[in-house]
PDB file of all heavy atoms in Angstrom:
ATOM      1  N   SER R  62       0.915 -11.485   5.354  1.00  0.00           N
ATOM      2  CA  SER R  62       1.825 -10.476   5.892  1.00  0.00           C
ATOM      3  C   SER R  62       1.110  -9.139   6.003  1.00  0.00           C
ATOM      4  O   SER R  62       0.232  -8.822   5.210  1.00  0.00           O
ATOM      5  CB  SER R  62       3.052 -10.340   4.992  1.00  0.00           C
ATOM      6  OG  SER R  62       2.660  -9.953   3.693  1.00  0.00           O
ATOM      7  N   LEU R  63       1.521  -8.361   6.966  1.00  0.00           N
ATOM      8  CA  LEU R  63       0.951  -7.040   7.181  1.00  0.00           C
ATOM      9  C   LEU R  63       1.837  -5.977   6.557  1.00  0.00           C
ATOM     10  O   LEU R  63       3.044  -6.150   6.424  1.00  0.00           O
ATOM     11  CB  LEU R  63       0.834  -6.753   8.681  1.00  0.00           C
ATOM     12  CG  LEU R  63      -0.184  -7.568   9.444  1.00  0.00           C
ATOM     13  CD1 LEU R  63      -0.149  -7.205  10.919  1.00  0.00           C
ATOM     14  CD2 LEU R  63      -1.581  -7.344   8.899  1.00  0.00           C
ATOM     15  N   VAL R  64       1.230  -4.862   6.186  1.00  0.00           N
ATOM     16  CA  VAL R  64       1.977  -3.711   5.684  1.00  0.00           C
ATOM     17  C   VAL R  64       1.677  -2.551   6.606  1.00  0.00           C
ATOM     18  O   VAL R  64       0.509  -2.242   6.837  1.00  0.00           O
ATOM     19  CB  VAL R  64       1.564  -3.368   4.238  1.00  0.00           C
ATOM     20  CG1 VAL R  64       2.224  -2.092   3.773  1.00  0.00           C
ATOM     21  CG2 VAL R  64       1.869  -4.522   3.300  1.00  0.00           C
ATOM     22  N   PRO R  65       2.641  -1.916   7.165  1.00  0.00           N
ATOM     23  CA  PRO R  65       4.060  -2.223   7.030  1.00  0.00           C
ATOM     24  C   PRO R  65       4.441  -3.430   7.871  1.00  0.00           C
ATOM     25  O   PRO R  65       3.854  -3.685   8.919  1.00  0.00           O
ATOM     26  CB  PRO R  65       4.752  -0.957   7.537  1.00  0.00           C
ATOM     27  CG  PRO R  65       3.795  -0.375   8.519  1.00  0.00           C
ATOM     28  CD  PRO R  65       2.421  -0.726   8.007  1.00  0.00           C
ATOM     29  N   GLY R  66       5.426  -4.148   7.403  1.00  0.00           N
ATOM     30  CA  GLY R  66       5.917  -5.317   8.113  1.00  0.00           C
ATOM     31  C   GLY R  66       6.911  -4.937   9.191  1.00  0.00           C
ATOM     32  O   GLY R  66       7.210  -3.753   9.399  1.00  0.00           O
ATOM     33  N   GLU R  67       7.431  -5.919   9.858  1.00  0.00           N
ATOM     34  CA  GLU R  67       8.432  -5.719  10.905  1.00  0.00           C
ATOM     35  C   GLU R  67       9.630  -4.978  10.334  1.00  0.00           C
ATOM     36  O   GLU R  67      10.165  -5.345   9.293  1.00  0.00           O
ATOM     37  CB  GLU R  67       8.876  -7.078  11.452  1.00  0.00           C
ATOM     38  CG  GLU R  67       9.820  -6.996  12.619  1.00  0.00           C
ATOM     39  CD  GLU R  67       9.156  -6.516  13.901  1.00  0.00           C
ATOM     40  OE1 GLU R  67       7.949  -6.762  14.079  1.00  0.00           O
ATOM     41  OE2 GLU R  67       9.851  -5.882  14.705  1.00  0.00           O
ATOM     42  N   GLY R  68      10.037  -3.887  10.985  1.00  0.00           N
ATOM     43  CA  GLY R  68      11.190  -3.118  10.541  1.00  0.00           C
ATOM     44  C   GLY R  68      10.898  -2.135   9.419  1.00  0.00           C
ATOM     45  O   GLY R  68      11.803  -1.508   8.885  1.00  0.00           O
ATOM     46  N   GLU R  69       9.638  -2.014   9.039  1.00  0.00           N
ATOM     47  CA  GLU R  69       9.232  -1.091   7.983  1.00  0.00           C
ATOM     48  C   GLU R  69       8.280  -0.052   8.540  1.00  0.00           C
ATOM     49  O   GLU R  69       7.658  -0.251   9.574  1.00  0.00           O
ATOM     50  CB  GLU R  69       8.518  -1.845   6.854  1.00  0.00           C
ATOM     51  CG  GLU R  69       9.368  -2.883   6.165  1.00  0.00           C
ATOM     52  CD  GLU R  69       8.575  -3.669   5.133  1.00  0.00           C
ATOM     53  OE1 GLU R  69       7.327  -3.624   5.162  1.00  0.00           O
ATOM     54  OE2 GLU R  69       9.203  -4.320   4.302  1.00  0.00           O
ATOM     55  N   SER R  70       8.160   1.068   7.832  1.00  0.00           N
ATOM     56  CA  SER R  70       7.199   2.112   8.184  1.00  0.00           C
ATOM     57  C   SER R  70       6.482   2.549   6.918  1.00  0.00           C
ATOM     58  O   SER R  70       7.024   2.451   5.815  1.00  0.00           O
ATOM     59  CB  SER R  70       7.912   3.319   8.803  1.00  0.00           C
ATOM     60  OG  SER R  70       8.489   2.977  10.038  1.00  0.00           O
ATOM     61  N   LEU R  71       5.268   3.043   7.087  1.00  0.00           N
ATOM     62  CA  LEU R  71       4.471   3.536   5.981  1.00  0.00           C
ATOM     63  C   LEU R  71       4.489   5.056   6.016  1.00  0.00           C
ATOM     64  O   LEU R  71       4.176   5.661   7.043  1.00  0.00           O
ATOM     65  CB  LEU R  71       3.040   3.016   6.115  1.00  0.00           C
ATOM     66  CG  LEU R  71       2.139   3.123   4.910  1.00  0.00           C
ATOM     67  CD1 LEU R  71       2.694   2.306   3.757  1.00  0.00           C
ATOM     68  CD2 LEU R  71       0.748   2.630   5.262  1.00  0.00           C
ATOM     69  N   VAL R  72       4.893   5.694   4.915  1.00  0.00           N
ATOM     70  CA  VAL R  72       4.971   7.153   4.830  1.00  0.00           C
ATOM     71  C   VAL R  72       4.101   7.611   3.672  1.00  0.00           C
ATOM     72  O   VAL R  72       4.200   7.068   2.572  1.00  0.00           O
ATOM     73  CB  VAL R  72       6.426   7.627   4.614  1.00  0.00           C
ATOM     74  CG1 VAL R  72       6.487   9.143   4.482  1.00  0.00           C
ATOM     75  CG2 VAL R  72       7.326   7.147   5.745  1.00  0.00           C
ATOM     76  N   GLU R 113      14.959   4.457  -1.058  1.00  0.00           N
ATOM     77  CA  GLU R 113      14.274   3.423  -1.829  1.00  0.00           C
ATOM     78  C   GLU R 113      13.013   3.021  -1.094  1.00  0.00           C
ATOM     79  O   GLU R 113      13.008   2.916   0.137  1.00  0.00           O
ATOM     80  CB  GLU R 113      15.186   2.225  -2.043  1.00  0.00           C
ATOM     81  CG  GLU R 113      16.371   2.554  -2.930  1.00  0.00           C
ATOM     82  CD  GLU R 113      17.234   1.348  -3.236  1.00  0.00           C
ATOM     83  OE1 GLU R 113      16.804   0.205  -2.974  1.00  0.00           O
ATOM     84  OE2 GLU R 113      18.342   1.559  -3.752  1.00  0.00           O
ATOM     85  N   ALA R 114      11.925   2.803  -1.857  1.00  0.00           N
ATOM     86  CA  ALA R 114      10.638   2.507  -1.246  1.00  0.00           C
ATOM     87  C   ALA R 114       9.819   1.595  -2.151  1.00  0.00           C
ATOM     88  O   ALA R 114      10.160   1.391  -3.319  1.00  0.00           O
ATOM     89  CB  ALA R 114       9.881   3.814  -1.001  1.00  0.00           C
ATOM     90  N   VAL R 115       8.733   1.076  -1.601  1.00  0.00           N
ATOM     91  CA  VAL R 115       7.786   0.263  -2.357  1.00  0.00           C
ATOM     92  C   VAL R 115       6.407   0.901  -2.205  1.00  0.00           C
ATOM     93  O   VAL R 115       5.979   1.212  -1.088  1.00  0.00           O
ATOM     94  CB  VAL R 115       7.761  -1.198  -1.851  1.00  0.00           C
ATOM     95  CG1 VAL R 115       6.696  -2.008  -2.565  1.00  0.00           C
ATOM     96  CG2 VAL R 115       9.127  -1.840  -2.019  1.00  0.00           C
ATOM     97  N   VAL R 116       5.713   1.102  -3.315  1.00  0.00           N
ATOM     98  CA  VAL R 116       4.383   1.699  -3.287  1.00  0.00           C
ATOM     99  C   VAL R 116       3.398   0.731  -2.645  1.00  0.00           C
ATOM    100  O   VAL R 116       3.349  -0.446  -2.989  1.00  0.00           O
ATOM    101  CB  VAL R 116       3.913   2.066  -4.714  1.00  0.00           C
ATOM    102  CG1 VAL R 116       2.466   2.546  -4.709  1.00  0.00           C
ATOM    103  CG2 VAL R 116       4.832   3.102  -5.327  1.00  0.00           C
ATOM    104  N   VAL R 117       2.613   1.251  -1.696  1.00  0.00           N
ATOM    105  CA  VAL R 117       1.589   0.452  -1.038  1.00  0.00           C
ATOM    106  C   VAL R 117       0.203   0.874  -1.516  1.00  0.00           C
ATOM    107  O   VAL R 117      -0.686   0.054  -1.683  1.00  0.00           O
ATOM    108  CB  VAL R 117       1.702   0.588   0.495  1.00  0.00           C
ATOM    109  CG1 VAL R 117       0.554  -0.105   1.197  1.00  0.00           C
ATOM    110  CG2 VAL R 117       3.037   0.031   0.972  1.00  0.00           C
ATOM    111  N   VAL R 132       4.096   4.866   0.754  1.00  0.00           N
ATOM    112  CA  VAL R 132       5.240   4.004   0.469  1.00  0.00           C
ATOM    113  C   VAL R 132       5.731   3.323   1.740  1.00  0.00           C
ATOM    114  O   VAL R 132       5.657   3.883   2.825  1.00  0.00           O
ATOM    115  CB  VAL R 132       6.409   4.786  -0.189  1.00  0.00           C
ATOM    116  CG1 VAL R 132       6.006   5.301  -1.567  1.00  0.00           C
ATOM    117  CG2 VAL R 132       6.877   5.929   0.679  1.00  0.00           C
ATOM    118  N   SER R 133       6.208   2.113   1.571  1.00  0.00           N
ATOM    119  CA  SER R 133       6.822   1.369   2.659  1.00  0.00           C
ATOM    120  C   SER R 133       8.325   1.551   2.547  1.00  0.00           C
ATOM    121  O   SER R 133       8.899   1.350   1.474  1.00  0.00           O
ATOM    122  CB  SER R 133       6.453  -0.115   2.548  1.00  0.00           C
ATOM    123  OG  SER R 133       7.079  -0.855   3.566  1.00  0.00           O
ATOM    124  N   VAL R 134       8.935   1.977   3.671  1.00  0.00           N
ATOM    125  CA  VAL R 134      10.378   2.228   3.706  1.00  0.00           C
ATOM    126  C   VAL R 134      10.967   1.571   4.949  1.00  0.00           C
ATOM    127  O   VAL R 134      10.248   1.276   5.904  1.00  0.00           O
ATOM    128  CB  VAL R 134      10.698   3.743   3.721  1.00  0.00           C
ATOM    129  CG1 VAL R 134      10.190   4.411   2.460  1.00  0.00           C
ATOM    130  CG2 VAL R 134      10.137   4.416   4.947  1.00  0.00           C
ATOM    131  N   PRO R 135      12.288   1.361   4.958  1.00  0.00           N
ATOM    132  CA  PRO R 135      12.909   0.855   6.188  1.00  0.00           C
ATOM    133  C   PRO R 135      12.622   1.832   7.337  1.00  0.00           C
ATOM    134  O   PRO R 135      12.629   3.053   7.145  1.00  0.00           O
ATOM    135  CB  PRO R 135      14.397   0.821   5.847  1.00  0.00           C
ATOM    136  CG  PRO R 135      14.437   0.701   4.354  1.00  0.00           C
ATOM    137  CD  PRO R 135      13.254   1.488   3.866  1.00  0.00           C
ATOM    138  N   GLU R 136      12.345   1.279   8.496  1.00  0.00           N
ATOM    139  CA  GLU R 136      11.982   2.079   9.671  1.00  0.00           C
ATOM    140  C   GLU R 136      12.965   3.217   9.930  1.00  0.00           C
ATOM    141  O   GLU R 136      12.571   4.323  10.281  1.00  0.00           O
ATOM    142  CB  GLU R 136      11.919   1.143  10.881  1.00  0.00           C
ATOM    143  CG  GLU R 136      11.088   1.644  12.023  1.00  0.00           C
ATOM    144  CD  GLU R 136      10.935   0.549  13.062  1.00  0.00           C
ATOM    145  OE1 GLU R 136      11.860   0.393  13.896  1.00  0.00           O
ATOM    146  OE2 GLU R 136       9.913  -0.155  13.036  1.00  0.00           O
ATOM    147  N   GLY R 137      14.261   2.985   9.735  1.00  0.00           N
ATOM    148  CA  GLY R 137      15.282   3.989   9.991  1.00  0.00           C
ATOM    149  C   GLY R 137      15.233   5.185   9.044  1.00  0.00           C
ATOM    150  O   GLY R 137      15.761   6.244   9.347  1.00  0.00           O
ATOM    151  N   ASP R 138      14.598   5.020   7.873  1.00  0.00           N
ATOM    152  CA  ASP R 138      14.496   6.106   6.896  1.00  0.00           C
ATOM    153  C   ASP R 138      13.194   6.892   7.018  1.00  0.00           C
ATOM    154  O   ASP R 138      13.038   7.949   6.394  1.00  0.00           O
ATOM    155  CB  ASP R 138      14.575   5.552   5.463  1.00  0.00           C
ATOM    156  CG  ASP R 138      15.924   4.958   5.126  1.00  0.00           C
ATOM    157  OD1 ASP R 138      16.926   5.358   5.760  1.00  0.00           O
ATOM    158  OD2 ASP R 138      15.981   4.089   4.229  1.00  0.00           O
ATOM    159  N   ALA R 139      12.237   6.399   7.787  1.00  0.00           N
ATOM    160  CA  ALA R 139      10.886   6.957   7.800  1.00  0.00           C
ATOM    161  C   ALA R 139      10.819   8.400   8.294  1.00  0.00           C
ATOM    162  O   ALA R 139      10.181   9.242   7.658  1.00  0.00           O
ATOM    163  CB  ALA R 139       9.956   6.070   8.636  1.00  0.00           C
ATOM    164  N   ALA R 140      11.443   8.715   9.411  1.00  0.00           N
ATOM    165  CA  ALA R 140      11.330  10.062   9.974  1.00  0.00           C
ATOM    166  C   ALA R 140      11.940  11.098   9.032  1.00  0.00           C
ATOM    167  O   ALA R 140      11.339  12.153   8.776  1.00  0.00           O
ATOM    168  CB  ALA R 140      12.011  10.126  11.340  1.00  0.00           C
TER     169      ALA R 140
END
Side-chain angles (χ1 to χ4, degrees):
S62 60
L63 291 178
V64 174
E67 185 71 30
E69 298 176 344
S70 294
L71 195 62
V72 178
E113 293 184 13
V115 175
V116 174
V117 174
V132 295
S133 178
V134 298
E136 202 172 83
D138 294 335

